[in-house]
Amino acid sequence: MRSQFCVLSPCIISRRDSRFLVWLGEPPSCAQAEGFAGPLCSGVPGDGQSRENIPIMNNGDMERESFFEGKNMALFEEEMDSNPMVSSLLNKLANYTNLSQGVVEHEEDEDSRRREVKSPGMGTFIGVYLPCLQNILGVILFLRFSWIVGVAGVMESFLIVSMCCTCTMLTAISMSAIATNGMVPAGGSYYMISRSLGPEFGGAVGLCFYLGTTFAGAMYILGTIEIFLTYISPGAAIVHAKSPDGEAVALLHNMRVYGTCTLVLMAMVVFVGVKYVNKLALVFLACVVLSILAIYAGVIKTAFDPPDVPVCLLGNRTLSRRSFDICAKVHATNNSTTTTTALWGLFCNNSMPSATCDEYFAQNNLTEIQGIPGVASGVLLDNLWSVYTDKGVFVEKKGLPSVPVPEESRTSRLPYVLTDIMTYFTMLVGIYFPSVTGIMAGSNRSGDLKDAQKSIPTGTILAIVTTSFIYLSCIVLFGACIEGVILRDKFGEALQGKLVIGMLAWPSPWVIVIGSFFSTCGAGLQSLTGAPRLLQAIARDGIIPFLQVFGHGKANGEPTWALLLTALICEIGILIASLDSVAPILSMFFLMCYMFVNLACAVQTLLRTPNWRPRFRYYHWTLSFLGMSLCLALMFICSWYYALFAMLIAGCIYKYIEYRGAEKEWGDGIRGLSLNAARYALLRVEHGPPHTKNWRPQVLVMLNLDSEQCVKHPRLLSFTTQLKAGKGLTIVGSVLEGTYLDKHAEAQRAEENIRSLMSAEKTKGFCQLVVSSNLRDGMSHLIQSAGLGGMKHNTVLMAWPTFWKDEDNPFSWKNFVDTVRDTTAAQQALLVAKNVDLFPQNQERFSDGNIDVWWIVHDGGLLMLLPFLLRQHKVWRKCRMRIFTVAQEDDNSIQMKKDLQTFLYHLRITAEVEVVEMVENDISAFTYEKTLVMEQRSQMLKQMQLSKTEQEREAQLIHDRNTASHSAVAAKVQAPSTPDKVQMTWTKEKLIAEKYRNKDTVSGFKDLFSLKPNQSNVRRMHTAVKLNGVVLNKSQDAQLVLLNMPGPPRSRQGDENYMEFLEVLTEGLNRVLLVRGSGREVITIYS
């Protein structure tokens, strides 16, 4: 709302102030108003001057400035837009509503559409404890826990449960520390991990947690169907077995059919109305609690009144009572006659006493024992130790007599109870672990809690303690109440197909059956509700591009597309159809999630980042590290190949996000860890230069910018990428001329342009831009100070100043020469790319051609190393390397070639070698003329202080001289061997004549063209001309030519001549890289 102001001439009173007064009638005077409003009166108190009359204020600023007038904050007025007052900040924090969209980036986009929501008010018990209890206690407790106790025994079951519960307890401690370190938006573990470990880890683990939750939904649906088909309505099976051998396969097919139908039905319920699922959550929780209470009540009842649960044994083998009632071979009828029983008919070929029967049946007696003898029976001692078996083995009771039968044919039609899978300790861990998952339920609801930082630790840890007590007590109670053969009977076949725990419960087995059915059904619905929202949160973060479509949904925000994908993945788990096979899969994903929660807490604690201030104090990095190690160990204990597969999936997602994902800065711990590692590494490499074997070009790239702060030569970055291939240090530097206070906005824009170009050219490195009073000093500062510690550049790469001869930019050549001197003084190598705009882009590929190296002087071997590095890149990979060296008259060129080939062999570099002989001959007239024109121009630039028009006239004069010198070359006039008596086409007389003819133009410089060329310059120009001719002859068609770059003159008097020498040396070549070594060896023949 805009501020309104009551104007009381000469006072202004703000309506925003809580002390706003309404006057009726005539307004009071300023003095009266000041008495009421105090500081709200404008002007300096007591000066009697109105606001309108203050000279430093204009009327346009009146409304904005008057807002601050009553706040006693005039000193901070200009910063109020960017730095709000503390009162305003606290007001915003007080009105903060923790909405469920989760991410700060999204909150900014959603501001315009944000609706008023009722303030969250769920406490610890309702908001955290009960949801965790409901998610932890589930299908495994009812369907598999008694079987695990029977197979593993009480002692090893204690070990399994203790390991898993310790793992979740340590994870809960770490999670509590993270959850209480600031506001945790809705999103649970994904947000905690991603904001603590960064987008790569967050996305990878978030997707693993999503897959775990999705497969948990499949497990719950399979549990629901197993309860329905096995214990509620066995006759509802659609697929029937044609033989007893096919019963297990038929059950799997029935579970696939019913599971798919149930999944479709549940997905439709979730799609139509999530609110109904949330309302039914309390009903499902009540089913779980009632079922557990019924188990405890049944255990208490067995102490004084054990239930009648007969179990039939043949010898020591347990029999399935699905097809008979009487556990006897014969029984007496009312007329005192004996008849065979239904059991006789199963083992014999007919019902007559003289029938041929199974040999084991004939030689062993039938025994009927109580399946649930009660707590006081002492059966606990028999169930202490494990009984691991292979698949298809008889479920036997130890201690009963049994007559073995040789070469027995184990036909599946006989009513024995057989094991359906091979059992061993690690497999049981994988099946059991899903029963302790669900500890994230409280943190997932953090947006609905009254005080999340208090409720999440208390509720989660209390729920883990409660469920751990339930599981550990159930181990003892099951082992003390139930016979071992019944515990190992997974599907209750010895109990006529009844649920084992149901037979223990009081008052009726149906309490457990119905309760477990509805609890598993509700857990499946909640998984199908939670998993799509987790995927939607990941998609909306934008860290995985191909998942962004799943961030959309219905108008009310329901994740339609994410629900569809969740249902498809869940169908994969249902098609597996076996609860025992699905459970280890989701164990992997949950364990990986918990492992990274512990890692996040450990990293944050060890780094001691300033923002790491959890309200939950009972944590330590050793506990987090122990939890992480235990999670990793449990992953490989459950199934090493599942563990490797889950880690491979997470690794692929991590690398994909790193390569293609959006860059996010979330202040994560991995970034802090990287900074710490970088600091440690920098301190390690601080002392001394690297060994020759470790030397590689650490490049400082000097870029020139145009008036729009865009890069003039982008191909220089392309060449950098080709040379570096992402290895070593790359610093991209540039200089802006001016003062930083005036140019900071332009500097930021230039830096953004450079970074975008680096990204486009795939140049991995750092950008460093300097604002300096002049370009010369800025470049010197970069060469001196770029880098940090041991990570400093050792090579400078820059472009040749193409327009160094232009009078518009007389200092470009001087800056260049001074930069060459700076690199020499800093003992750094220098690479100068001439005709850099002709260099290839990263997308180009040379299918053929040569990289020619002209090795004139030895400068440490950099000339040899650069082509080798370039050929590692795809652009130059198919180019051949040729090395040319120059032999003088007194050199043995044949021996030089052999020595060079041997040297390259020891360097492990493949290249063609050629020795070029340069015969000493006379200095040509062309060389003299070139030198003379060069010196004339140099002298002219030193003496003349000309206007713009005069500079243009002088440039035309120099052009005329060059034209005359070229005509002299055409005449082919040879100079004599003695330089003092040289006969040149451009004679001294002609110079004098030309001088008098143009004396009006060059008045005041009568002796300018009477110069005699310096003999040192003549020799240098002679070398440049001769060498240029040789290089052109051999390497004119080369893709790249590398040349030794001669050093600048020691005296600064001939700097412009130095530029002319280099220009002549490289004339006519397409792509040239001038190389000047740092003076140290950079390549070695030793390993």
Side-chain angles (χ1 to χ4, degrees):
M1 182 182 293
R2 295 184 59 186
S3 302
Q4 296 176 322
F5 299 91
C6 176
V7 181
L8 302 173
S9 180
C11 296
I12 301 173
I13 297 178
S14 172
R15 290 184 185 269
R16 295 173 64 107
D17 197 278
S18 59
R19 296 167 294 177
F20 173 69
L21 303 175
V22 179
W23 287 279
L24 300 176
E26 282 193 1
S29 65
C30 183
Q32 291 171 323
E34 188 176 8
F36 287 104
L40 292 179
C41 189
S42 64
V44 180
D47 65 357
Q49 187 179 15
S50 69
R51 183 71 169 184
E52 292 84 353
N53 296 328
I54 297 176
I56 62 172
M57 294 297 300
N58 55 40
N59 293 331
D61 295 335
M62 183 63 61
E63 183 175 343
R64 185 177 69 86
E65 293 297 330
S66 58
F67 166 69
F68 303 111
E69 187 165 0
K71 307 298 181 184
N72 294 324
M73 290 290 174
L75 188 61
F76 300 95
E77 285 178 357
E78 295 181 356
E79 301 178 3
M80 287 296 180
D81 293 336
S82 58
N83 301 332
M85 290 181 295
V86 174
S87 59
S88 173
L89 176 67
L90 293 176
N91 183 48
K92 289 181 179 179
L93 289 176
N95 295 329
Y96 173 76
T97 55
N98 196 346
L99 298 181
S100 60
Q101 69 267 20
V103 216
V104 175
E105 293 88 345
H106 295 154
E107 289 175 7
E108 296 172 357
D109 300 334
E110 298 285 336
D111 276 344
S112 59
R113 293 177 289 173
R114 190 172 288 181
R115 301 186 300 273
E116 288 293 328
V117 295
K118 60 181 180 181
S119 59
M122 296 174 68
T124 302
F125 187 75
I126 297 293
V128 180
Y129 179 73
L130 290 182
C132 286
L133 211 64
Q134 180 185 1
N135 280 265
I136 295 173
L137 300 172
V139 62
I140 300 295
L141 173 64
F142 300 118
L143 295 183
R144 293 291 183 270
F145 195 55
S146 61
W147 173 73
I148 291 173
V149 173
V151 173
V154 173
M155 302 301 291
E156 292 187 21
S157 298
F158 247 95
L159 180 60
I160 292 173
V161 173
S162 299
M163 281 197 309
C164 296
C165 291
T166 302
C167 175
T168 53
M169 178 60 77
L170 294 173
T171 304
I173 292 173
S174 299
M175 183 194 70
S176 299
I178 298 173
T180 58
N181 187 51
M183 306 291 273
V184 178
S189 60
Y190 163 65
Y191 285 104
M192 286 191 287
I193 295 171
S194 61
R195 271 54 178 182
S196 298
L197 293 180
E200 293 88 0
F201 276 110
V205 181
L207 277 184
C208 285
F209 189 56
Y210 162 75
L211 291 174
T213 308
T214 305
F215 274 100
M219 184 186 73
Y220 291 131
I221 292 174
L222 290 175
T224 304
I225 302 306
E226 183 177 314
I227 293 171
F228 177 73
L229 289 178
T230 308
Y231 306 115
I232 296 179
S233 179
I238 297 175
V239 180
H240 299 281
K242 296 181 180 179
S243 66
D245 293 334
E247 287 183 359
V249 177
L251 176 62
L252 294 180
H253 288 321
N254 282 309
M255 293 187 72
R256 292 185 181 104
V257 174
Y258 276 99
T260 303
C261 297
T262 306
L263 173 63
V264 172
L265 183 63
M266 287 185 175
M268 291 176 62
V269 171
V270 172
F271 177 77
V272 171
V274 180
K275 56 183 179 181
Y276 301 114
V277 178
N278 294 330
K279 287 179 179 179
L280 289 172
L282 198 58
V283 177
F284 299 141
L285 177 61
C287 292
V288 175
V289 174
L290 287 175
S291 300
I292 293 172
L293 291 177
I295 293 172
Y296 282 111
V299 170
I300 295 171
K301 180 177 178 291
T302 62
F304 54 86
D305 185 16
D308 183 23
V309 183
V311 178
C312 188
L313 301 175
L314 177 61
N316 63 353
R317 300 175 185 176
T318 310
L319 298 180
S320 172
R321 299 193 73 154
R322 290 181 182 271
S323 52
F324 68 92
D325 293 324
I326 302 173
C327 182
K329 297 180 180 180
V330 294
H331 69 97
T333 60
N334 293 332
N335 53 4
S336 300
T337 59
T338 59
T339 58
T340 56
T341 60
L343 188 58
W344 180 279
L346 294 173
F347 282 93
C348 302
N349 57 2
N350 58 57
S351 60
M352 300 302 293
S354 59
T356 304
C357 298
D358 179 77
E359 190 173 355
Y360 188 84
F361 178 76
Q363 295 187 15
N364 287 275
N365 296 323
L366 288 168
T367 309
E368 193 170 57
I369 63 172
Q370 284 298 320
I372 304 179
V375 177
S377 63
V379 75
L380 177 64
L381 297 176
D382 298 332
N383 294 329
L384 281 179
W385 310 111
S386 59
V387 184
Y388 297 122
T389 57
D390 290 329
K391 181 179 179 181
V393 176
F394 300 114
V395 176
E396 299 176 340
K397 177 175 171 56
K398 295 179 181 179
L400 285 183
S402 175
V403 179
V405 178
E407 299 180 2
E408 180 184 8
S409 61
R410 299 180 181 178
T411 56
S412 57
R413 65 179 182 83
L414 298 178
Y416 290 122
V417 178
L418 305 175
T419 56
D420 64 329
I421 57 174
M422 184 174 68
T423 53
Y424 42 93
F425 177 81
T426 57
M427 190 260 309
L428 295 181
V429 175
I431 293 176
Y432 171 74
F433 188 81
S435 64
V436 296
T437 60
I439 61 173
M440 301 290 184
S443 61
N444 291 343
R445 295 166 177 255
S446 57
D448 302 323
L449 300 175
K450 184 185 299 182
D451 186 359
Q453 297 193 4
K454 178 183 177 183
S455 298
I456 289 176
T458 308
T460 305
I461 293 175
L462 193 59
I464 292 175
V465 170
T466 304
T467 53
S468 300
F469 171 77
I470 291 173
Y471 283 126
L472 292 172
S473 63
C474 283
I475 292 174
V476 178
L477 296 177
F478 290 167
C481 293
I482 307 174
E483 274 286 351
V485 290
I486 299 300
L487 289 174
R488 295 192 295 276
D489 184 5
K490 184 187 291 186
F491 300 107
E493 294 181 36
L495 305 178
Q496 296 180 335
K498 296 177 182 177
L499 187 61
V500 174
I501 302 180
M503 300 303 293
L504 176 65
W506 182 86
S508 169
W510 287 101
V511 174
I512 298 292
V513 173
I514 300 301
S516 60
F517 177 80
F518 281 110
S519 69
T520 52
C521 186
L525 278 172
Q526 288 190 333
S527 294
L528 288 179
T529 304
R533 277 156 183 72
L534 180 58
L535 180 63
Q536 186 183 43
I538 298 172
R540 283 183 172 177
D541 265 351
I543 58 176
I544 304 177
F546 70 84
L547 288 182
Q548 289 185 358
V549 65
F550 298 108
H552 308 297
K554 294 192 291 188
N556 60 354
E558 292 298 321
T560 308
W561 293 106
L563 176 62
L564 181 61
L565 180 65
T566 302
L568 292 176
I569 297 174
C570 194
E571 177 64 19
I572 296 173
I574 288 173
L575 291 178
I576 296 174
S578 173
L579 190 70
D580 302 322
S581 300
V582 173
I585 296 176
L586 62 102
S587 294
M588 291 303 117
F589 292 123
F590 278 120
L591 279 167
M592 183 169 292
C593 177
Y594 296 165
M595 180 176 70
F596 281 101
V597 169
N598 286 294
L599 175 63
C601 182
V603 166
Q604 297 278 31
T605 307
L606 288 173
L607 288 179
R608 298 178 182 176
T609 51
N611 191 52
W612 180 245
R613 302 184 301 274
R615 290 189 179 276
F616 181 77
R617 298 294 181 185
Y618 306 103
Y619 71 94
H620 195 267
W621 70 267
T622 54
L623 295 177
S624 300
F625 186 79
L626 180 62
M628 183 184 68
S629 305
L630 189 54
C631 288
L632 185 63
L634 283 174
M635 285 178 67
F636 283 92
I637 286 173
C638 294
S639 174
W640 64 269
Y641 45 89
Y642 278 168
L644 292 177
F645 184 68
M647 295 173 75
L648 178 64
I649 291 176
C652 291
I653 298 170
Y654 178 95
K655 295 305 292 183
Y656 177 79
I657 296 173
E658 188 180 53
Y659 178 66
R660 292 289 305 275
E663 293 184 2
K664 299 284 183 181
E665 176 50 66
W666 287 330
D668 51 270
I670 290 297
R671 185 174 179 84
L673 190 63
S674 301
L675 290 173
N676 265 19
R679 181 186 65 86
Y680 177 75
L682 283 173
L683 292 174
R684 286 289 302 273
V685 301
E686 172 71 20
H687 306 291
H691 192 274
T692 304
K693 291 186 289 186
N694 295 327
W695 194 95
R696 65 165 59 246
Q698 319 282 11
V699 180
L700 169 63
V701 186
M702 306 289 281
L703 294 181
N704 296 322
L705 303 176
D706 58 19
S707 58
E708 300 296 326
Q709 281 75 51
C710 295
V711 178
K712 284 185 179 180
H713 303 294
R715 298 286 181 96
L716 199 61
L717 278 182
S718 303
F719 181 71
T720 305
T721 304
Q722 296 157 23
L723 178 64
K724 299 291 292 178
K727 304 295 190 300
L729 176 69
T730 301
I731 302 174
V732 180
S734 188
V735 181
L736 277 183
E737 200 167 4
T739 61
Y740 186 71
L741 287 178
D742 299 332
K743 295 281 188 177
H744 69 275
E746 295 179 22
Q748 290 179 353
R749 186 165 66 251
E751 194 166 340
E752 290 174 2
N753 293 339
I754 293 174
R755 289 187 189 280
S756 62
L757 182 61
M758 290 173 66
S759 176
E761 298 293 343
K762 298 181 179 179
T763 304
K764 297 179 180 179
F766 308 96
C767 177
Q768 190 163 350
L769 192 135
V770 172
V771 180
S772 179
S773 58
N774 58 72
L775 294 177
R776 166 75 192 91
D777 290 344
M779 296 176 78
S780 178
H781 294 158
L782 272 178
I783 292 173
Q784 293 177 62
S785 61
L788 179 64
M791 286 295 286
K792 290 183 68 69
H793 61 280
N794 54 29
T795 305
V796 177
L797 172 62
M798 59 191 303
W800 173 262
T802 309
F803 304 105
W804 67 274
K805 291 184 180 181
D806 288 0
E807 280 73 17
D808 293 339
N809 191 12
F811 296 107
S812 65
W813 59 269
K814 192 164 185 61
N815 289 339
F816 176 81
V817 178
D818 285 342
T819 303
V820 176
R821 286 197 174 96
D822 286 342
T823 57
T824 304
Q827 295 183 334
Q828 295 172 2
L830 177 65
L831 310 178
V832 179
K834 192 170 184 225
N835 302 325
V836 68
D837 294 328
L838 299 179
F839 276 54
Q841 291 181 320
N842 292 328
Q843 295 78 19
E844 298 180 34
R845 301 287 184 270
F846 288 135
S847 59
D848 197 11
N850 300 312
I851 300 176
D852 286 356
V853 177
W854 285 85
W855 193 19
I856 311 300
V857 294
H858 181 60
D859 56 356
L862 186 58
L863 272 171
M864 308 289 184
L865 190 60
L866 290 176
F868 171 77
L869 295 175
L870 280 175
R871 291 180 67 229
Q872 308 302 309
H873 197 272
K874 295 178 181 178
V875 174
W876 307 92
R877 186 164 296 167
K878 295 184 179 179
C879 293
R880 295 179 300 276
M881 180 177 170
R882 298 193 302 182
I883 296 182
F884 298 90
T885 189
V886 176
Q888 302 298 324
E889 285 185 351
D890 54 349
D891 291 331
N892 185 343
S893 58
I894 297 177
Q895 187 62 38
M896 281 182 64
K897 183 173 183 178
K898 289 181 179 178
D899 293 342
L900 182 54
Q901 287 174 337
T902 304
F903 181 58
L904 290 176
Y905 175 79
H906 288 301
L907 287 177
R908 290 92 63 200
I909 292 178
T910 304
E912 299 178 21
V913 175
E914 187 170 343
V915 178
V916 178
E917 296 182 356
M918 286 186 65
V919 181
E920 187 69 32
N921 57 3
D922 297 336
I923 299 176
S924 65
F926 174 74
T927 303
Y928 272 100
E929 292 155 12
K930 273 274 195 185
T931 310
L932 188 59
V933 171
M934 175 188 72
E935 293 186 350
Q936 289 171 358
R937 181 181 182 281
S938 173
Q939 192 67 19
M940 192 183 304
L941 290 176
K942 288 178 182 177
Q943 295 181 6
M944 290 191 304
Q945 301 293 331
L946 303 175
S947 66
K948 179 69 176 175
T949 306
E950 291 170 329
Q951 289 179 10
E952 292 175 356
R953 287 161 52 191
E954 177 58 16
Q956 183 62 41
L957 181 62
I958 294 175
H959 174 71
D960 296 341
R961 300 295 178 274
N962 285 326
T963 305
S965 68
H966 286 306
S967 64
V969 174
K972 297 184 179 179
V973 179
Q974 295 293 329
S977 58
T978 55
D980 292 337
K981 300 179 180 180
V982 63
Q983 295 294 324
M984 298 184 298
T985 305
W986 191 262
T987 61
K988 182 176 180 181
E989 291 75 13
K990 289 184 179 180
L991 277 174
I992 295 172
E994 182 68 20
K995 178 184 71 173
Y996 282 112
R997 187 165 61 252
N998 296 285
K999 70 177 183 177
D1000 295 335
T1001 306
V1002 290
S1003 177
F1005 301 98
K1006 297 178 180 180
D1007 58 342
L1008 183 63
F1009 299 110
S1010 61
L1011 295 172
K1012 187 175 182 179
N1014 182 282
Q1015 293 303 308
S1016 175
N1017 288 339
V1018 170
R1019 290 196 307 274
R1020 291 169 182 265
M1021 183 64 76
H1022 174 69
T1023 302
V1025 171
K1026 287 283 293 180
L1027 196 55
N1028 176 255
V1030 173
V1031 173
L1032 276 178
N1033 183 38
K1034 297 287 185 180
S1035 303
Q1036 190 167 14
D1037 297 328
Q1039 303 291 5
L1040 179 65
V1041 177
L1042 284 82
L1043 273 169
N1044 280 118
M1045 180 179 181
R1050 291 186 176 87
S1051 172
R1052 294 177 178 269
Q1053 301 299 321
D1055 284 357
E1056 63 276 10
N1057 300 339
Y1058 173 68
M1059 297 295 291
E1060 191 72 47
F1061 293 145
L1062 295 181
E1063 192 74 65
V1064 171
L1065 180 63
T1066 57
E1067 191 174 3
L1069 297 172
N1070 289 331
R1071 303 183 192 93
V1072 184
L1073 187 67
L1074 295 171
V1075 180
R1076 181 164 173 77
S1078 61
R1080 62 161 294 174
E1081 292 292 332
V1082 301
I1083 195 167
T1084 178
I1085 64 174
Y1086 299 105
S1087 61

